[in-house]
Amino acid sequence: MSRITNNMMISDFLSNYNKSQSKLNKYMNQLSTGDKFSRISEEPIDAVKSMRLDTTLSFNQQYQDNAEGGISWLKLTDEALNEVVKTLRTLRTDAVAAATGTMTPESRQKVQQKVDQLREHLVEIANTKYADSYIFNGVKTKVKPYQGADSLNPTAYEANGAVSTGKLDREVGAGTVVDINVTGPEIGFGQMFADIYNFSEALANDDSAEIQNSLDNIDTHIENVLVARAQVGSRQNRLELGADRLSAQEVTYTDILSKTADTDVAETIMKYKNEENVFRIALATGAGIMQPTLMDFLT
C-alpha cells in the first residue's frame, strides 16, 4: 500500500478546489450573460448546432423578406390589372352604345373624347411603378415601357424600344423560386392601345362596322387581362402560404436555438447553489488538512 503524504492531500485539495471554482465561475457567467457558453470549447456539440441554427434562421429571414417583397409587388400588379379591367369594361359599355346605330354624330364625338382620355389612362396604368421600378417592363424595371401615341401600330406605344418579356423571380425557399411579374406583352398593352385608337377613329368616322369590330377586340383584351390576373392571384396565394410557413419555421428554429444556446435560469441557479455548497465544504475540508507549523506557534 502506498503512503498518502500531506503534500499529496494538499495537491488533490487544490486540484478539486480549482475545479469547483471553475464550475462556479461557469454558472455565474451563464447567469450574468444568459448564454450557455461563451467559447466553442465549452460546449462543442451545442456550439456547432447553434451556429447551424443561426445560419438557418438567417436564410429563413431572407426568404421571408423575398416573399413579402414579392407579395407587395403582386398586390400592386393585381390592383393595376383590376383598374385595366374596369377601364376596358367602361370602353365596352361605350362601344355597345355606339354600335346600336341610334347615336348621333355629336354624341359619338363626345364618346370619342372620352375614349381618348381612357386610352391615356390605360397608358398611365401600363407605366405603374413599384417604388422606382416599372412593374410591366420585364427585367428592364428602370426603363419607362409605354408612351401615348395616335397610331394603329402597337410598337408606336413603346416608349424606349421593345418592352421586356423577362421574368423577375424571388427565391422563397431552398430551390423554390416564384415569378412575381407579368409583362406588358403578356397583357397585350401595345395592341390594346392600337385597338382603342382604332375604336376612337371609328367613332370619328361614324363607322358602325368598325365599332362592332372594336367591341370584339375589347372583349378579347378583357379576357387576356383576366387570365393575367388569375396568374397573379395564384402566385400571390403561393407566396402568402410560403410566408406563413416560413414564419412558423422561424418560431420553431428560434425555440430550438434558445434551448441549445440560452441559459436555463432555474436549472443553472440550482447547479450554482449546489456547487457553492460543494465549494464551501471543500474550503472547510482544506482547512482541516492544513497541518499547523512551527510558525503558527511563534505568532
Side-chain angles (χ1 to χ4, degrees), residues 3-10:
R3 179 173 176 272
I4 304 300
T5 66
N6 193 58
N7 286 339
M8 291 172 63
M9 294 174 64
I10 293 173

Side-chain angles (χ1 to χ4, degrees), residues 2 38 40 42 57 69 84 107 154 181 196 208 223 226 229 249 254 263 269 273 282-283 285 295:
S2 60
S38 58
I40 295 178
E42 294 177 3
L57 280 169
V84 171
S107 296
N181 69 325
I196 295 172
S208 297
E223 183 62 29
L226 289 176
R229 282 196 73 189
Q249 287 179 347
T254 301
T263 299
I269 289 176
K273 288 297 183 181
L283 288 177
T285 302
M295 294 300 297

